[in-house]
Amino acid sequence: MALLGRDQTLTYATLQNRVWSVAGMLSDHGVGAGDFVGLYTTRSIDAIVGMLACLRAGAVFVPLDPSFAPEQLGFIANDVPLAIILAHQDHIADAAALFDAKAPLILDINAATLGPTRIWPAITGDDPACVLYTSGTTGRPKGVLVPHRAITLMAFEQPELAIYATDVVLHASTIACDGALIETLVPLLVGAAVAVLESTTPEVQAVADTMIQHRVTVALWYAGLHNLMVTHRIDAFETVRLCEVGGDVMVPSVAEKLLTAWPDLHLFNGYGPTETCVHSLCHQVTLEDVRAGDLPIGLAMTGEDALILD
C-alpha cells in the first residue's frame, strides 16, 4: 500500500493512475515544466496526489493550506506567478473567492480522468519541486524554492534518519511546511506507506487513532505536538521505531517518559530551517542525555555542513 486514509487506501498502482490523471489534466490546460501550481487543499490523500501530479507534469507545487489566514494566502498568491490552482472539490468555491484575481484557472483535483499515454518533461535534480514559505516570525515570510535533489537527498543519502520500504510513516503536518515533504514524498520514494491524518486539525485523539489503526513506525513531530502525544497518548507509540522532534526545544522530561515506556524506540532531536529542507543536524537522544539536562541538536547530517558564525 502507498497511502492509508481513515476510510480508504491506495495501492502504488492506483496512486500512479490518479497522479497521471491529474498531471494529464494540468498538461491539457497548458501547465508545463517550471510552471507554478497552487495546491489549495487540506492534508489529505488528494493533496499528496496533487503534489505528485505537479511533479509528474514538470510543474512546481505551491501549498496553500485553507486553514491559513486569508492574508497569508493572499501574500503567497501575489508573490508567486501561479499558472493554475488545484483545489479539492469541497474547496472550489472558497478558492474562487480567495484567488479570483490571482490565477487564471482553478481546477477540481477530483475531476481528472486517465487519458492517453503521454511523454512527460525531463526533470533534473536542480529543477524546483515546490515553493515553501517560512513562518515570517522574524520578519516577512520568504518563499524557498526546494529542488528535487533536496528531497531525494533525504530519501537516499541521510542514513541517520533512514526510512525503509517496510515503514508506515505518519503524515500529520500541514502540507505547507517542509516537514510534510519527509512525511509524504520521502516514504513514497522508498516504497513505504503513508498514514494520512485526515482530520482538519491534528488533535491528540485523532493522531493516536491514526497511529494505532495503521501501526505507524515512523513519526516526525513539531515539539509541541510531540509533548502532547507523549503526555496524553503514550500508548500510541507502541509500534513506532523512529521519532524525530524539531521546530522547538525538546523537553527532557517528555523524552525521558517516552524512552522509559518504549526503550527500543529511537528518538532524535533534529534541527533544520526551511532553506535546507527539513533537517540538517540531528542527535539520537538517550536516557543518559535527558538526565544530564539540556539536549543537543547534534552534528551535521550526511550531505550537510554546519558552520558556527559570530
Side-chain angles (χ1 to χ4, degrees):
M1 289 296 172
L3 302 180
L4 308 172
R6 184 173 51 236
D7 302 314
Q8 66 168 322
T9 59
L10 266 63
T11 64
Y12 271 87
T14 303
L15 174 60
Q16 176 178 275
N17 286 339
R18 288 192 59 182
V19 167
W20 284 4
S21 297
V22 178
M25 180 174 68
L26 290 173
S27 179
D28 289 343
H29 285 87
V31 173
D35 287 333
F36 295 95
V37 176
L39 189 58
Y40 185 71
T41 177
T42 56
R43 176 185 53 250
S44 61
I45 285 177
D46 284 332
I48 298 173
V49 169
M51 294 177 192
L52 294 170
C54 291
L55 300 180
R56 180 69 284 178
V60 184
F61 69 86
V62 184
L64 301 166
D65 189 325
S67 69
F68 284 18
E71 296 79 12
Q72 186 173 2
L73 296 175
F75 172 84
I76 295 172
N78 281 323
D79 201 45
V80 180
L82 298 174
I84 273 177
I85 290 177
L86 277 177
H88 185 277
Q89 57 190 7
D90 294 341
H91 299 132
I92 292 291
D94 291 342
L98 186 60
F99 302 110
D100 180 52
K102 308 296 193 305
L105 189 63
I106 296 172
L107 298 178
D108 181 354
I109 196 172
N110 306 98
T113 56
L114 189 60
T117 301
R118 301 169 185 267
I119 298 175
W120 304 108
I123 300 299
T124 72
D126 289 326
D127 288 319
C130 62
V131 180
L132 300 177
Y133 276 77
T134 59
S135 63
T137 53
T138 58
R140 178 177 175 174
K142 178 174 61 176
V144 177
L145 274 171
V146 178
H148 282 258
R149 59 181 168 79
I151 299 169
T152 54
L153 173 74
M154 292 189 293
F156 302 114
E157 299 294 337
Q158 291 185 329
E160 300 91 340
L161 295 169
I163 294 172
Y164 305 106
T166 52
D167 280 317
V168 178
V169 181
L170 177 68
H171 173 35
S173 297
T174 168
I175 64 168
C177 75
D178 59 353
L181 299 178
I182 198 169
E183 292 178 349
T184 58
L185 301 185
V186 169
L188 295 175
L189 279 170
V190 301
V194 180
V196 183
L197 175 69
E198 293 186 294
S199 61
T200 304
T201 57
E203 297 174 348
V204 168
Q205 184 62 46
V207 175
D209 289 344
T210 300
M211 293 174 70
I212 293 168
Q213 177 185 355
H214 299 301
R215 299 185 64 79
V216 163
T217 63
V218 176
L220 299 104
W221 310 97
Y222 284 105
L225 182 55
H226 179 256
N227 295 340
L228 289 172
M229 291 302 301
V230 173
T231 301
H232 298 288
R233 290 302 305 271
I234 198 169
D235 61 299
F237 290 81
E238 180 181 2
T239 58
V240 176
R241 69 165 186 87
L242 171 65
C243 269
E244 184 191 11
V245 180
D248 206 337
V249 178
M250 185 187 291
V251 179
S253 61
V254 173
E256 181 176 19
K257 180 177 181 180
L258 180 60
L259 292 173
T260 300
W262 305 110
D264 293 332
L265 184 149
H266 291 181
L267 176 63
F268 283 85
N269 196 18
Y271 170 79
T274 302
E275 289 84 349
T276 65
C277 198
V278 187
H279 43 223
S280 294
L281 306 173
C282 73
H283 172 77
Q284 184 171 354
V285 178
T286 66
L287 285 172
E288 290 73 20
D289 289 329
V290 296
R291 290 163 185 165
D294 293 336
L295 302 175
I297 56 174
L299 303 175
M301 298 174 64
T302 302
E304 305 280 347
D305 292 309
L307 304 177
I308 299 175
L309 304 178
D310 185 349

